[in-house]
Amino acid sequence: MTATVTGPASPAAATPTPTKRSRGSGGGLGRYIAIRAVLIIPTIFILVTVVFFIMRATGDPITAALGGKLTPTQLAARIHQAGYDRPLIIQYFEYIGHVFTGNFGTTLSDNQPVIHVLLTYGAATLELAFYALIVAFIVGIPLGMVAAYYRDKGRDASLRIFAILCYATPVFFAGLMLKLIFSIWLNWLPVAGRASTSSELEMQTLPNKTGIYLIDSFLTGDPSVTGDVLLHAILPAITLGLLTAGVFLRLVRTNVIGTLSTDYVDSARSRGVSEYRLVRRHAYKPALIPIITVIGLQIAILLSGAVLTETTFEWKGLGFQLVQYLQSRDYVAVQGMVALLAVIVALTNFIVDVIAAIIDPRVRY
């Protein structure tokens, strides 16, 4: 019987064949943006649908707004003229078709196109949200770093309590307290409004008004008008901005503390780098990535808080007008405004997701 001699295995046999990575796998930025962009359409569609049926739950808008002000015959004629006596599903598909062409209907109380109301007062709400975000960044991020630096010490505990108070205090209560202290008692800042009457009249003479008072005040070329606009913006911006600043403070604190426990920070600490420098140079930027990812959610909170803030300070934006239309039971206007706010939130989340994916590639997977 002959023994079979087995030779050494060839390198080709010993080395496993590498598996090629699928071309479609991974987290390409273009693919991620395309998927997020496509998801905007069903998101907006669902939000608008929910708003439509919630508004119709109380009946047709004509009866809600004009019931008791017209005779039954006149009311029936108005309902038929507006098409609200047709089946609800037909009204729904007609409304969806109008929304996607930019037609949100006509208000019942003052007979204005809803899109005109949105464009007129939307700039004021956008300006207020911008101011509030600036306050949130200025207050929340530095204080969050301070809380992380003094972790589990007295300053940290005080700042955590401050953060809880910021997002737990009702917006209208905070606004009233700020007005009482800085406008009534100290007489430092204006009580309400977006600008004084003289400044508004001067801005009205501009040929191409933007509706954003800060920009319009610059266009007048009068520094006193710009100063007046900024003075009127301080209290509303602080009131609304503190709501988000508390969230930012706790988020930055948590993420800075987490970053300080990583290996590369421990390595820098072993080389004698001071704790202050570690927080300011090494742990600061990584802690900002979660802030970017939650900005989309905070925009929704800011817009909801803007309703109470604008009412408290008579800041004539979408929130202020929304309350006026709710009081007059003009559900056509309310429906259009809420739908627009839903669209803004969806688009803002898309933009934030794209920015987060650019900054942190891990988001794409």
Side-chain angles (χ1 to χ4, degrees):
M1 188 171 181
T2 306
T4 304
V5 179
T6 305
S10 64
T15 305
T17 304
T19 303
K20 290 185 178 181
R21 188 177 182 180
S22 172
R23 188 179 297 271
S25 64
L29 180 59
R31 181 172 176 269
Y32 176 82
I33 293 176
I35 293 173
R36 296 299 302 169
V38 170
L39 289 176
I40 290 178
I41 298 176
T43 301
I44 294 176
F45 178 79
I46 293 171
L47 291 172
V48 171
T49 299
V50 170
V51 170
F52 176 86
F53 284 106
I54 288 178
M55 290 292 100
R56 290 297 193 278
T58 57
D60 67 90
I62 300 291
T63 303
L66 303 176
K69 300 178 183 179
L70 301 176
T71 64
T73 303
Q74 292 173 328
L75 188 62
R78 289 288 299 273
I79 292 173
H80 179 72
Q81 182 182 6
Y84 291 125
D85 54 351
R86 294 176 298 167
L88 187 61
I89 192 65
I90 294 178
Q91 296 181 44
Y92 167 70
F93 282 113
E94 184 180 32
Y95 176 72
I96 291 294
H98 287 164
V99 165
F100 280 97
T101 59
N103 180 11
F104 290 89
T106 304
T107 63
L108 300 174
S109 55
D110 50 10
N111 198 33
Q112 293 188 74
V114 175
I115 190 66
H116 173 71
V117 175
L118 299 177
L119 293 175
T120 302
Y121 297 100
T125 299
L126 178 64
E127 186 176 11
L128 178 59
F130 174 74
Y131 292 146
L133 271 179
I134 291 177
V135 171
F137 281 122
I138 292 175
V139 174
I141 293 177
L143 292 184
M145 294 176 64
V146 171
Y149 181 74
Y150 293 101
R151 179 184 181 183
D152 297 331
K153 296 180 180 179
R155 295 184 188 181
D156 178 29
S158 301
L159 289 173
R160 279 187 286 172
I161 293 173
F162 171 73
I164 294 172
L165 290 175
C166 282
Y167 59 74
T169 304
V171 175
F172 70 90
F173 179 77
L176 290 174
M177 290 297 99
L178 289 174
K179 286 175 66 173
L180 182 64
I181 296 171
F182 294 101
S183 299
I184 306 301
W185 292 350
L186 300 177
N187 196 27
W188 288 355
L189 297 169
V191 175
R194 297 178 63 195
S196 62
T197 304
S198 59
S199 297
E200 288 189 341
L201 290 175
E202 189 168 348
M203 286 185 286
Q204 289 299 321
T205 61
L206 293 171
N208 298 311
K209 299 185 294 294
T210 64
I212 299 176
Y213 276 16
L214 184 60
I215 296 177
D216 291 341
S217 65
F218 280 120
L219 294 177
T220 62
D222 188 347
S224 64
V225 175
T226 304
D228 180 62
V229 168
L230 291 175
L231 281 176
H232 281 79
I234 290 175
L235 290 184
I238 292 176
T239 301
L240 189 55
L242 288 179
L243 179 68
T244 302
V247 177
F248 285 180
L249 192 158
R250 291 182 65 88
L251 197 58
V252 168
R253 175 190 178 274
T254 301
N255 285 279
V256 168
I257 290 174
T259 305
L260 288 175
S261 63
T262 57
D263 293 338
Y264 78 91
V265 173
D266 288 338
S267 176
R269 188 181 287 117
S270 66
R271 295 195 304 269
V273 179
S274 67
E275 201 71 16
Y276 172 76
R277 185 178 177 84
L278 288 173
V279 172
R280 187 171 60 90
R281 298 293 297 274
H282 295 273
Y284 170 58
K285 290 183 179 179
L288 290 184
I289 294 176
I291 292 289
I292 296 172
T293 59
V294 302
I295 284 180
L297 297 175
Q298 296 307 311
I299 290 294
I301 295 175
L302 286 177
L303 291 176
S304 62
V307 175
L308 296 174
T309 305
E310 291 179 3
T311 304
T312 302
F313 291 96
E314 296 180 22
W315 186 281
K316 295 185 178 179
L318 285 179
F320 181 83
Q321 286 301 119
L322 183 62
V323 172
Q324 306 303 311
Y325 285 126
L326 280 170
Q327 291 175 346
S328 60
R329 301 179 67 83
D330 191 338
Y331 289 165
V332 173
V334 172
Q335 185 173 272
M337 288 183 173
V338 174
L340 176 69
L341 294 176
V343 171
I344 291 174
V345 171
L347 292 176
T348 303
N349 276 281
F350 167 71
I351 295 171
V352 168
D353 287 342
V354 172
I355 295 174
I358 293 173
I359 294 175
D360 187 1
R362 294 173 299 175
V363 175
R364 308 172 198 170
Y365 290 88

